Amino acid sequence: MSKTATLRLIPLFILAVFIFFGAHYFLYYSVVRFFGVASHAIRGTILTIIFLLPISFFVFSALSHLKQSSLLNFFYIVSASWLGLATCFFLAACLIWVLIWLTNLANFNFDVKFFSTLIFSLAGLLFVYGVWNAFHPQIKNIEVRLKDLPAYWQDKIIIQLSDVHLGHVHGVRFLQDIVNKTNAQNPDLVLITGDLFDGMDGDLSIFIETLKSIKAKEGVFFVIGNHETFLGVDRAYLILMEAGIKVLDNEFIDLEGLQLVGLSYQGSHGEPSASGKIRDISEIFSSLRGKGFDLTRPSILMHHAPTNIAQVKANGIDLQLSGHTHVGQTIPFGIVTRMIYGKYYYGLVTEGNFSIYTSSGAGTWGPPIRIGNTPEIVAIKISN
């Protein structure tokens, strides 16, 4: 990333840190008030714990990028899990403050300690469900019509995998479950739309044999996501090559009359793009046309983020497959992803002859938790 782009991100980073630790202070203040904690020693202990846990996430995230260790991996998972639990507790605290305000307005006697215990307990159960949900991706079946689709592809099944985030949290067992569910659909084509890897350090060769076991008649294809840029694109390429997965890096391939295009998650000059938006794809498509890409023939685009929609339409794409958003991964962050990506933040959107499907993704980043949405393996039936 260029120096200018990095400088632009600094104010956003400072704001994010302020909100992050402000939310933790709000949680500390709420717990002290709700449960009537008067002891300065106990208050200090609670404050220390509440602030050390989020700090530990940043520390162990950084260390995990530098060194592989079972102990570091354990502490990373614990600190990441805390962020998920803290989110549930934050929402619980907000609910309790609303109840206090409403009961004060109604002049109603409200046992704050009892109801706080109840609501925080329910928040804890919600967290447990969220963790379970995060590790059990489901098959999502959709149907998409593509104009002038060749007879060969009529009613064929394409599997889209996105945002698996293999690494310290999601390991070989998780990947094997995804592969088993994928193969059970008997797909004709498997398309992986980025963030297959989480971007952490570690021995990625442990995933090769399982990735090799993905079965698809017309092959398995991949485009780079933002987390592969964290990991190192060349390193990701080596693993994918050994697994027999074809990478489409700003290129296309003709599969029995269906054009498959892959746009990498990069800026126009090769640097990683913070938003996932390729500044100008016209030059890329101009190059593709020089190599035989035909705007009038049916085509599917793999691009990690649901961006550049107008340009994609102008270049004759019939179906764009994206991910990246995780649908916010857990409430209430889906609101943020919807603000950023609009109606393309999740699901199938059809506009004339153009369709886009943005997947919620199969894995998680950061907190291993999913609340308010379901991790998915997308089975797409295509027809005329």
Side-chain angles (χ1 to χ4, degrees):
M1 187 177 293
S2 68
K3 185 177 180 180
T4 302
T6 302
L7 290 174
R8 288 175 182 171
L9 290 175
I10 290 175
L12 292 176
F13 176 76
I14 293 172
L15 177 61
V17 169
F18 178 79
I19 293 172
F20 186 72
F21 285 100
H24 276 80
Y25 181 79
F26 168 77
L27 181 58
Y28 157 76
Y29 177 79
S30 298
V31 168
V32 168
R33 286 291 302 273
F34 297 158
F35 295 98
V37 180
S39 169
H40 289 292
I42 296 176
R43 284 189 177 195
T45 301
I46 295 172
L47 184 64
T48 300
I49 292 173
I50 281 182
F51 275 88
L52 279 180
L53 283 168
I55 291 172
S56 69
F57 173 73
F58 291 112
V59 171
F60 291 116
S61 293
L63 291 176
S64 295
H65 277 286
L66 299 174
K67 184 179 180 181
Q68 183 181 8
S69 163
S70 298
L71 188 61
L72 283 176
N73 187 29
F74 171 77
F75 282 117
Y76 170 78
I77 292 173
V78 169
S79 59
S81 298
W82 161 253
L83 296 186
L85 182 58
T87 299
C88 294
F89 283 166
F90 178 87
L91 295 174
C94 290
L95 176 60
I96 295 166
W97 280 114
V98 169
L99 289 175
I100 291 173
W101 176 69
L102 291 175
T103 53
N104 284 341
L105 281 180
N107 198 26
F108 179 75
N109 188 26
F110 178 59
D111 189 336
V112 176
K113 186 177 292 187
F114 171 78
F115 280 98
S116 295
T117 301
L118 176 62
I119 292 171
F120 273 112
S121 297
L122 292 174
L125 291 175
L126 182 63
F127 167 74
V128 172
Y129 160 75
V131 172
W132 179 89
N133 187 37
F135 286 87
H136 292 82
Q138 305 296 312
I139 298 293
K140 176 68 177 288
N141 292 289
I142 65 170
E143 293 188 21
V144 179
R145 294 184 180 276
L146 275 66
K147 184 181 178 182
D148 298 326
L149 185 70
Y152 176 85
W153 284 100
Q154 186 69 28
D155 296 328
K156 298 287 190 183
I157 299 296
I158 297 174
I159 290 289
Q160 180 198 6
L161 299 176
S162 193
D163 302 275
V164 182
H165 288 274
L166 299 174
H168 293 333
V169 175
H170 297 294
V172 173
R173 184 180 298 180
F174 180 75
L175 176 60
Q176 187 64 65
D177 178 56
I178 289 175
V179 171
N180 291 343
K181 290 176 178 176
T182 295
N183 290 343
Q185 305 306 306
N186 194 27
D188 298 277
L189 189 62
V190 172
L191 306 179
I192 306 174
T193 50
D195 284 6
L196 176 63
F197 303 109
D198 197 46
M200 296 293 190
D201 191 21
D203 181 12
L204 299 181
S205 64
I206 61 174
F207 298 113
I208 292 174
E209 291 304 314
T210 308
L211 289 171
K212 279 183 179 179
S213 66
I214 300 175
K215 295 179 173 61
K217 300 178 186 68
E218 297 296 333
V220 183
F221 294 85
F222 174 87
V223 289
I224 290 294
N226 56 305
H227 279 258
E228 277 80 31
T229 67
F230 303 155
L231 173 70
V233 171
D234 290 341
R235 190 176 172 201
Y237 280 172
L238 287 174
I239 298 299
L240 294 163
M241 182 177 64
E242 290 189 50
I245 296 174
K246 169 66 176 176
V247 179
L248 293 179
D249 182 10
N250 296 337
E251 55 190 315
F252 87 102
I253 187 171
D254 187 287
L255 298 172
E256 303 291 342
L258 177 64
Q259 299 175 121
L260 181 62
V261 184
L263 292 185
S264 296
Y265 187 101
Q266 294 176 351
S268 58
H269 300 290
E271 75 274 14
S273 168
S275 67
K277 183 176 182 180
I278 297 174
R279 294 182 182 88
D280 185 1
I281 64 174
S282 58
E283 185 175 331
I284 295 173
F285 272 96
S286 177
S287 174
L288 294 181
R289 287 194 295 273
K291 297 174 183 177
F293 179 76
D294 188 342
L295 274 67
T296 66
R297 292 168 57 195
S299 55
I300 296 176
L301 170 67
M302 303 165 64
H303 180 37
H304 182 57
T307 58
N308 302 91
I309 306 301
Q311 289 180 303
V312 168
K313 288 181 181 179
N315 283 282
I317 295 297
D318 297 286
L319 173 62
Q320 176 174 335
L321 298 179
S322 298
H324 186 58
T325 71
H326 293 220
V327 201
Q329 195 163 301
T330 189
I331 54 174
F333 302 111
I335 297 171
V336 178
T337 57
R338 186 155 197 166
M339 289 173 61
I340 295 172
Y341 297 102
K343 62 183 176 180
Y344 307 114
Y345 84 115
Y346 172 65
L348 180 65
V349 178
T350 299
E351 298 169 334
N353 292 326
F354 171 78
S355 296
I356 176 173
Y357 188 83
T358 304
S359 172
S360 65
T364 58
W365 175 80
I369 180 175
R370 286 264 190 175
I371 298 174
N373 60 81
T374 303
E376 64 186 23
I377 298 163
V378 188
I380 307 165
K381 182 179 180 180
I382 57 174
S383 62
N384 255 318

